[in-house]
Amino acid sequence: MRLLLIHGVFFLQCLRFSQQQFPRLCATTEALLSKECCPVWEGDGSACGASSGRGFCRDVEVSDLPNGLNYPFSGLDDRERWPLVFYNRTCQCASNYMGFNCGECQFGLFGANCEERRESVRRNVFHLSAAERRKLISYLTLAKHTVSQDYVIATGTYREMNNGSTPLFSDVSTYDVFVWMHYYVSRNALLGGPGNVWTDVDFAHWAPAFLPWHRVYLLHWEREIRKLTGDFEFSIPYWDWRDAQGCDICTEDLMGAQSPRDPNLISPASVFSSWRVMCSRAEDYSVRGVLCDGNDEGPLLRNPGNHDHNLVARLPTAAEVEFTVSLRDYDTGAMDRSANFSFRNTLEGFGNPQTGLGNSRVMGMHASLHIFMNGSMSSVQGSANDPIFLLHHAYVDRYAYTHPSHTLFLFLYISLSISLWLTLSLSLSLSLSLSLSLSLSQHTPSLPLTPSLSLSLTLPKTHLLSLSLSLSLSLSLSLGLSLSVFSIYEQWLRRHTPEQTHYPEFNAPIGHNRQYHMVPFIPLHRNIEYFTSSKELGYQYSYMLNSDQRISEVLSPYLELMMEAWPWLLGALVLGALVTMTVAAVAATMTRMCWGAWPWQLGEKSSAFHLPEREPLIISSDSDTPNYHTV
């Protein structure tokens, strides 16, 4: 709680500029009636930072090129020709600047004048250390419980606002602003009155803008978390779900395990069990002909794997990811869910990931994850309520990556630890058993040498240790050599290096043409601007690091585990040695009591370390048994 209060104070004092729709300064009657969203930049007291040359308040230019045939209306939906229904003048920022008042830097740039370029690295969530995992959860929790001071959500249409004279906006948390954004961009079109909606429309899905839109979404979410926490090194981790047998991030230390009382809920041991959702009742909004109002709609739901298996048989495989990335055309045909051999449509999940044919009967790739989660994430409009949404889309955005699975690295860590521990334990046990067996053999000549005793005589303890370490190092080497590269969206861009003309200029479904402004972002972003490599936007993925950095990044959490565990291992070793010595002392005492002398007093060759030779060590030349010479 104290941490939350500290971060909250930091937020109130330091966070000034937002990147999303409806900045609070533009959600006023004056701004709506004038249709102008050009807030003052506090750095110089001028609108859009004009006095400092950061930007200027200018008319919004929209493309008039024709859209596809999926939406046959005009002038009925507030998202058409975004953002003209609400604003026709906004800040247009110069060169390196960005933000609704040009008070921020472009993605990947930092510094007072936005001239310092840095690259952040998005990492596999399983490669995060325990401390990094806790930090991720705390940041998500902070965002969920901190009311945004800079922007609000629209709870009514422009018409319901009486064309701007009666603003209808609501406060929500930083996290829930992004939940609302995903709902708003994908909601049905309200044509007027209860039940009068158009369902075949989505400004961020089912068409070419799917990947650029979600890329911008993640970049803005990442930036808001950095500003909220003051941690400008933070990056969204990703979940590599290829070949996963279940929700392996649904654990107590990550996204929350399943509740033992109700399989549709999250375990009370996870902070996510207390999360409440909003904008998740799409059918209800359509029936009533209204927008989501941001109210509480119940707990976060999730029941992974208990979905309709006729729609999704299993999670995507590495082979299906590779097939998807191999498709050369970004989009084809009508550029919707029917597109054949379309990289975008196949990755989104409506193209078959084995044939590339559109309108697939079963869902694959991206869509299969949403259905598999079987809860809040399974609704397009409400899916961002589940924080798994962020890790999932960070992997979809990455388009390319392949590495040994976290399970193999965990196996490496465990096998190394167990092999070393067993080596030490075996060495002590063999020493004890040797002493007892030899003592008994002196008084029981007929007692045969057991296989384990023979092994202890012919395989010195140093050989056992060498064997154990060799096996562990061999396993480590084989895993290291298995590093390779797979991926999805970023990999496709880098593999095929498409020209910007590869992105459709017109006749795509509404909202998806090349020059269309993304709904509902302010500052404005055009779709084509994010049809480019992530390096141009200031971030990359861990698989792009050089080999030394990549291996270090992969092994770091397991090294941390070993650092945390070594006092326990050392304590166990000391305790094991004490127990072994105690058992040996008891055994020796019992030997003396039974035979009236200590083991080393039973004769010249009765020592525990002297054994009569029972068989020759060198095979006779007359023997038919193969040896190095006869072979």
Side-chain angles (χ1 to χ4, degrees):
M1 180 58 70
R2 183 177 181 183
L3 178 62
L4 292 179
L5 290 175
I6 292 174
H7 281 304
V9 171
F10 179 88
F11 176 85
L12 292 174
Q13 293 179 345
C14 301
L15 186 55
R16 290 290 182 268
F17 312 119
S18 166
Q19 310 299 328
Q20 281 70 42
Q21 175 193 344
F22 300 125
R24 189 177 297 276
L25 296 175
C26 296
T28 64
T29 301
E30 180 182 1
L32 292 172
L33 291 178
S34 66
K35 288 185 174 290
E36 182 174 292
C37 181
C38 296
V40 169
W41 177 52
E42 295 181 356
D44 64 6
S46 64
C48 308
S51 298
S52 302
R54 299 177 76 97
F56 303 93
C57 187
R58 292 179 175 167
D59 292 343
V60 175
E61 297 181 0
V62 299
S63 173
D64 291 322
L65 293 177
N67 299 312
L69 303 178
N70 68 305
Y71 183 76
F73 309 101
S74 178
L76 292 180
D77 192 285
D78 292 345
R79 300 166 296 178
E80 296 175 28
R81 307 182 77 206
W82 179 260
L84 293 186
V85 169
F86 292 97
Y87 312 107
N88 54 30
R89 286 175 62 81
T90 63
C91 288
Q92 297 183 31
C93 305
S95 61
N96 297 340
Y97 304 109
M98 191 176 73
F100 65 77
N101 61 359
C102 301
E104 296 290 331
C105 297
Q106 290 282 357
F107 296 122
L109 297 178
F110 297 84
N113 297 316
C114 302
E115 295 176 341
E116 178 186 351
R117 180 170 292 277
R118 299 183 206 164
E119 279 190 354
S120 59
V121 177
R122 291 181 181 172
R123 301 167 58 197
N124 187 321
V125 69
F126 291 113
H127 296 168
L128 300 182
S129 66
E132 289 169 330
R133 294 186 186 194
R134 290 192 294 269
K135 183 171 68 173
L136 171 65
I137 303 306
S138 68
Y139 285 2
L140 289 167
T141 303
L142 180 62
K144 183 69 173 179
H145 294 93
T146 303
V147 175
S148 171
Q149 299 299 303
D150 292 310
Y151 47 94
V152 291
I153 65 171
T155 57
T157 65
Y158 191 70
R159 180 176 298 178
E160 291 171 335
M161 296 182 192
N162 296 317
N163 297 328
S165 60
T166 309
L168 296 174
F169 298 97
S170 180
D171 292 328
V172 293
S173 71
T174 297
Y175 186 95
D176 285 340
V177 165
F178 287 87
V179 173
W180 178 87
M181 288 174 63
H182 194 266
Y183 150 77
Y184 189 80
V185 76
S186 59
R187 66 174 175 82
N188 295 331
L190 305 179
L191 305 181
N196 190 15
V197 299
W198 186 260
T199 60
D200 190 18
V201 62
D202 192 312
F203 287 75
H205 301 84
W206 311 341
F210 167 68
L211 292 167
W213 190 93
H214 285 84
R215 169 165 281 193
V216 173
Y217 179 93
L218 292 179
L219 284 168
H220 278 303
W221 190 91
E222 202 168 55
R223 172 168 289 188
E224 291 304 314
I225 292 296
R226 290 172 179 175
K227 294 191 299 182
L228 177 61
T229 62
D231 181 2
F232 289 90
E233 301 299 321
F234 172 77
S235 293
I236 302 173
Y238 62 85
W239 173 29
D240 180 356
W241 31 250
R242 290 171 301 124
D243 297 315
Q245 299 303 306
C247 182
D248 46 12
I249 61 173
C250 295
T251 59
E252 300 295 7
D253 65 329
L254 281 174
M255 297 294 105
Q258 200 170 43
S259 171
R261 297 181 179 180
D262 186 339
N264 293 310
L265 299 178
I266 298 173
S267 168
S270 169
V271 296
F272 299 116
S273 64
S274 65
W275 278 33
R276 312 294 291 181
V277 303
M278 57 177 270
C279 299
S280 63
R281 300 174 179 172
E283 293 185 4
D284 178 57
Y285 308 146
S286 295
V287 170
R288 295 190 289 134
V290 298
L291 293 180
C292 162
D293 57 12
N295 286 334
D296 183 341
E297 295 178 349
L300 178 63
L301 302 177
R302 188 194 301 154
N303 191 353
N306 293 311
H307 58 286
D308 184 351
H309 288 263
N310 292 320
L311 282 178
V312 173
R314 50 166 172 70
L315 293 177
T317 66
E320 291 171 340
V321 171
E322 174 57 28
F323 172 82
T324 301
V325 175
S326 72
L327 296 171
R328 298 185 60 84
D329 293 325
Y330 181 74
D331 227 332
T332 62
M335 296 171 283
D336 57 14
R337 286 170 285 186
S338 68
N340 295 322
F341 309 111
S342 157
F343 165 71
R344 187 276 313 162
N345 195 40
T346 305
L347 175 55
E348 191 169 359
F350 304 106
N352 189 300
Q354 297 177 356
T355 66
L357 298 179
N359 281 333
S360 177
R361 182 181 60 82
V362 296
M363 298 293 98
M365 300 302 288
H366 154 266
S368 68
L369 260 291
H370 283 275
I371 296 174
F372 177 87
M373 299 313 296
N374 191 35
S376 300
M377 201 171 160
S378 301
S379 161
V380 175
Q381 297 178 22
S383 57
N385 278 292
D386 194 328
I388 289 178
F389 175 94
L390 298 168
L391 279 64
H392 168 44
H393 274 276
Y395 183 69
V396 171
D397 176 79
R398 157 181 164 243
Y399 317 178
Y401 180 66
T402 303
H403 62 288
S405 71
H406 73 283
T407 305
L408 289 178
F409 277 104
L410 185 59
F411 175 68
L412 168 62
Y413 165 72
I414 294 175
S415 64
L416 180 59
S417 301
I418 291 178
S419 62
L420 291 174
W421 176 247
L422 287 180
T423 298
L424 294 172
S425 300
L426 184 60
S427 299
L428 293 172
S429 299
L430 287 177
S431 298
L432 176 61
S433 62
L434 174 62
S435 176
L436 293 177
S437 297
L438 291 178
S439 297
L440 291 174
S441 65
Q442 295 300 315
H443 292 273
T444 315
S446 61
L447 182 67
L449 287 173
T450 64
S452 62
L453 182 56
S454 299
L455 175 63
S456 70
L457 293 173
T458 58
L459 187 60
K461 291 186 285 294
T462 54
H463 290 182
L464 288 174
L465 181 59
S466 299
L467 176 60
S468 176
L469 290 175
S470 298
L471 290 174
S472 298
L473 291 175
S474 299
L475 176 59
S476 178
L477 179 61
S478 65
L479 288 175
L481 293 176
S482 69
L483 285 171
S484 56
V485 177
F486 277 88
S487 68
I488 316 178
Y489 179 35
E490 182 66 22
Q491 178 64 21
W492 184 87
L493 287 175
R494 299 195 181 199
R495 180 181 299 188
H496 301 288
T497 59
E499 300 290 339
Q500 289 202 331
T501 54
H502 205 79
Y503 191 97
E505 186 177 13
F506 55 88
N507 286 338
I510 186 170
H512 294 262
N513 283 346
R514 185 185 303 171
Q515 297 298 334
Y516 212 98
H517 292 126
M518 296 180 181
V519 178
F521 292 102
I522 293 178
L524 303 177
H525 302 290
R526 297 184 187 274
N527 291 324
I528 192 59
E529 295 170 357
Y530 296 87
F531 190 67
T532 185
S533 171
S534 65
K535 289 183 68 67
E536 300 298 321
L537 302 172
Y539 72 98
Q540 62 174 322
Y541 288 89
S542 55
Y543 80 92
M544 299 175 187
L545 302 173
N546 63 49
S547 58
D548 291 339
Q549 291 174 313
R550 187 165 63 245
I551 293 175
S552 175
E553 185 268 332
V554 168
L555 293 180
S556 59
Y558 305 108
L559 293 176
E560 179 186 332
L561 286 176
M562 294 194 69
M563 291 298 294
E564 292 179 353
W566 78 263
W568 297 95
L569 293 176
L570 180 60
L573 178 62
V574 172
L575 179 62
L578 291 175
V579 170
T580 301
M581 293 172 63
T582 301
V583 171
V586 171
T589 301
M590 293 179 64
T591 301
R592 185 178 186 280
M593 293 175 62
C594 292
W595 289 286
W598 296 104
W600 54 81
Q601 297 175 333
L602 294 177
E604 180 180 355
K605 293 188 178 181
S606 297
S607 170
F609 301 100
H610 291 81
L611 181 70
E613 186 173 314
R614 300 293 183 97
E615 296 179 2
L617 297 178
I618 301 178
I619 300 175
S620 170
S621 59
D622 297 331
S623 172
D624 293 331
T625 304
N627 57 47
Y628 285 113
H629 298 287
T630 59
V631 172

